[in-house]
Amino acid sequence: MNILLLILLCVFEAAFAVTAGGRKCDKKDWQMGRLICNGGQLLVFLIMLIAPGIDLSFRFMGLFVLLILRIIVAFFGVLLTRKKEGERKSIAMMILSAVLISASLVPSFVITSYGGLPVTGEYEVAQASAILTDESRVEEFETDGSKREVPVYFYYPANAAEGEKFPLVIFSHGAFGYNKSNYSTFAELASNGYTVISTEHPYHSLFTKDTAGNTITVDPSFMSGIAAINSEGVNEETVFELSSEWLELRCDDIDFVIDSVKSAAGESALPEYWHTDDIQGIISALSVTDTNNIGVMGHSLGGAAAVNEGRTRYDIKAVVDLDGTMLGEVTGVENGADIVRDDPYPVPILSFDNEEHHFAAMEAEKNGEVYANNVVMGNALCGYRTYIAGTSHMNFTDLPMYSPSLAKMLGTGSVDAERCMMTVNRVTLEFFDSFLKGKGEFIVQECTEVS
C-alpha cells in the first residue's frame, strides 16, 4: 500500500506540473494551485489511513509532518504573494517534491507494520515501563558525574487470579539492539504465566531514553569495538579485553534490575529511584512476580551476559542463550588461545545456535580447538544445545519481521522468519516451564525443526 500511496502523491505533483509548468502565470494563482495540490495530497493520505498497513506510526509520521508543513507554507504563500506575472519552474518543483515525499516514506519501506506473533497462553499481556537510577554507579559514558540509568520494560499477565504469582525472566538484548528486539518472546512467555523484564543497556542499545526525556544513542566507541572484534585478524587479547568490559557493564545492569525488583516486590509504593509514568502498572507487575523463581536470557552479547549471570548469582535457576558466544567463560588468553573455565556450569542452560555457528562449533571440537561454548556445554550439570536449520544470527530476534531489509544486512538465513521465532519461543517456553515451574521433562533435539 505504501507504493500505491507514493504513486498517488506523485500523480498530484505531475498534474500540477502539467497545468502550471513551462508558462508564465500569475504568482498568486501559482501559489493557489500549489495549495490545492498539497491539500489534495494530504486528503489522499488521510483517506488511505483506512487501508491496511498505513497508519500514523513512525513509519508514516515523517510524510504526515511533511504534508502538513507544505500546506502551511503554501497557505502563507497565497496570503503574502501579490499578483505578478512570472516564470515558474514547475517541473523542477515536481521533481523536488517527489524526492521529499519519497524520502519521507523511506521508513515505511524499511520497517513493516509488524505487531507481534500470535500467543498461545491463556493470559492477557499487560505492559509497563520504568527507568531505574543506580545511585551506586557513575555513568561511564558521560563526563558530568551523572548516575547510571537502566530502562526496564515489563510484560506480565493482566488477568491473574488473586494471589497468583509468576516466575521472573530477565532479557538482555544484543549489541545495537533495543528493548523490543524479542517482543514476540516476551508476549509468548507473559501469556503463559511469566513476568518478563526486557532490560535496555544505554549506549549499547541502538537508542533509548533517559529520565530527562533525552534520546540516548549507541556509543561510537562501542560500535567501533564491535567492528574490531568481528574483523579478520583480530587477536584474542583484544577480544578478551573489550568483551570483559562490556559484560561487566551489562551484568551490573542486570544485577541492579533483579535486586531492585526483589526489593520492591510486594511493596505498595515504589522507591524514588524508580522513574515511571505508570506507577500502578509497575506495582501490578511486581505484585504478580515470584522472585524466588528467576530465569535469565539474552541474544548475542545479551546471551553472553545471561550465561554470566547463571554463573555468578545464586538466585538464577535457568538460562537461555540465543546464539551468543559465551565470552564471560573466558578467563584469559595464553599463547593466542582462550583460557576457558572448566568447572561445571551450575544451573540448567539452553543454548540456541544458528546453522553456521553450530557447524563451526562442531569443527572446532573435531580439531581440538578451544571454544567457550563447547567447553561450557560439555561441562554443564544440566545443559541443552540445539540449532535451527537455515538460520543466521538475526533469526533469533523479531527484526526480520520488523525490518526485513535491515535484518538481511545484519544476517538472516533461508528459514521462514515467523515460523523460526515461533519455534524459538515454543522451545524457550518449554525450557522455562520445566525448570522454573517444574512442568515435565525438557527434551530438545540437536536440530530443532521449525513449527
Side-chain angles (χ1 to χ4, degrees):
M1 294 302 292
N2 49 1
I3 296 177
L4 176 60
L5 176 60
L6 176 60
I7 291 173
L8 291 175
L9 296 180
C10 288
V11 165
F12 269 82
E13 287 296 331
F16 176 66
V18 168
T19 58
R23 64 181 177 85
K24 289 185 177 181
C25 62
D26 183 85
K27 285 187 176 182
K28 194 172 188 71
D29 291 342
W30 187 93
Q31 290 285 6
M32 179 59 70
R34 168 51 64 191
L35 178 61
I36 293 171
C37 175
N38 293 352
Q41 290 172 324
L42 179 61
L43 180 62
V44 166
F45 174 70
L46 294 176
I47 291 174
M48 289 198 68
L49 285 176
I50 65 174
I54 296 181
D55 50 43
L56 283 174
S57 66
F58 168 76
R59 300 173 65 232
F60 294 95
M61 186 54 68
L63 173 64
F64 179 65
V65 171
L66 175 65
L67 294 178
I68 293 293
L69 289 176
R70 280 160 58 88
I71 282 184
I72 293 173
V73 171
F75 176 74
F76 280 102
V78 171
L79 289 181
L80 301 177
T81 301
R82 297 179 179 180
K83 282 186 172 292
K84 180 182 179 182
E85 191 176 272
E87 189 76 26
R88 285 296 173 182
K89 299 178 180 179
S90 295
I91 299 298
M93 291 293 292
M94 180 199 75
I95 295 173
L96 176 61
S97 294
V99 169
L100 290 174
I101 291 170
S102 300
S104 69
L105 276 171
V106 166
S108 74
F109 288 96
V110 175
I111 301 171
T112 70
S113 56
Y114 171 71
L117 298 176
V119 296
T120 64
E122 62 181 293
Y123 295 100
E124 298 175 8
V125 179
Q127 300 181 39
S129 63
I131 300 177
L132 310 183
T133 301
D134 188 349
E135 296 292 344
S136 69
R137 287 191 292 160
V138 174
E139 179 54 76
E140 62 186 61
F141 291 97
E142 298 290 346
T143 58
D144 59 359
S146 57
K147 302 301 183 180
R148 177 72 173 172
E149 296 182 353
V150 184
V152 289
Y153 299 82
F154 285 77
Y155 299 80
Y156 62 99
N159 53 331
E162 185 175 354
E164 199 170 10
K165 298 279 188 177
F166 307 101
L168 172 64
V169 174
I170 305 291
F171 179 87
S172 175
H173 60 74
F176 318 140
Y178 85 125
N179 68 85
K180 286 190 175 180
S181 69
N182 286 64
Y183 172 79
S184 68
T185 309
F186 312 150
E188 175 67 357
L189 288 173
S191 78
N192 281 277
Y194 288 85
T195 297
V196 182
I197 298 178
S198 176
T199 302
E200 210 159 41
H201 305 286
Y203 303 96
H204 282 197
S205 173
L206 184 60
F207 61 89
T208 187
K209 294 281 189 180
D210 63 14
T211 52
N214 300 315
T215 298
I216 306 298
T217 57
V218 63
D219 180 68
S221 64
F222 175 65
M223 292 179 66
S224 61
I226 292 292
I229 69 169
N230 286 303
S231 61
E232 293 185 9
V234 61
N235 60 65
E236 296 304 320
E237 287 83 359
T238 299
V239 175
F240 175 71
E241 179 181 347
L242 289 174
S243 61
S244 297
E245 176 186 329
W246 299 334
L247 288 176
E248 181 180 5
L249 175 74
R250 284 169 170 257
C251 289
D252 285 347
D253 285 348
I254 296 171
D255 286 339
F256 173 56
V257 170
I258 294 176
D259 292 341
S260 297
V261 169
K262 294 179 73 171
S263 175
E267 298 296 327
S268 58
L270 294 174
E272 289 185 359
Y273 65 88
W274 287 70
H275 306 275
T276 179
D277 293 327
D278 186 11
I279 295 176
Q280 190 52 53
I282 295 294
I283 291 176
S284 296
L286 293 172
S287 69
V288 298
T289 300
D290 178 8
T291 56
N292 292 315
N293 284 295
I294 303 176
V296 183
M297 66 181 299
H299 173 249
S300 192
L301 186 58
V307 173
N308 252 33
E309 290 297 287
R311 177 75 82 175
T312 59
R313 289 190 69 103
Y314 72 91
D315 50 0
I316 304 299
K317 293 189 176 180
V319 172
V320 175
D321 177 13
L322 298 176
D323 204 34
T325 301
M326 302 175 187
L327 299 167
E329 292 293 302
V330 179
T331 60
V333 179
E334 185 175 319
N335 299 322
D338 289 337
I339 302 172
V340 182
R341 58 188 304 171
D342 58 3
D343 52 319
Y345 192 78
V347 299
I349 181 171
L350 168 63
S351 174
F352 284 94
D353 291 330
N354 73 60
E355 185 173 23
E356 182 181 2
H357 192 176
H358 167 76
F359 286 108
M362 295 304 99
E363 187 68 17
E365 187 172 34
K366 177 182 176 181
N367 296 333
E369 300 172 7
V370 176
Y371 176 54
N373 291 37
N374 289 344
V375 177
V376 173
M377 300 310 295
N379 293 332
L381 296 176
C382 185
Y384 302 87
R385 195 173 193 176
T386 189
Y387 77 97
I388 298 177
T391 53
S392 192
H393 192 54
M394 300 312 298
N395 285 117
F396 296 90
T397 72
D398 285 7
L399 186 61
M401 286 87 75
Y402 185 68
S403 180
S405 56
L406 178 57
K408 187 174 182 180
M409 290 172 54
L410 297 175
T412 53
S414 59
V415 69
D416 180 85
E418 289 192 6
R419 293 175 62 201
C420 178
M421 276 310 296
M422 291 179 74
T423 300
V424 170
N425 296 343
R426 173 181 59 81
V427 176
T428 299
L429 174 63
E430 291 171 356
F431 177 76
F432 282 136
D433 275 352
S434 180
F435 293 102
L436 295 183
K437 292 185 175 181
K439 294 172 59 175
E441 181 183 4
F442 178 72
I443 299 174
V444 70
Q445 302 300 317
E446 178 184 12
C447 180
T448 297
E449 299 292 334
V450 295
S451 302

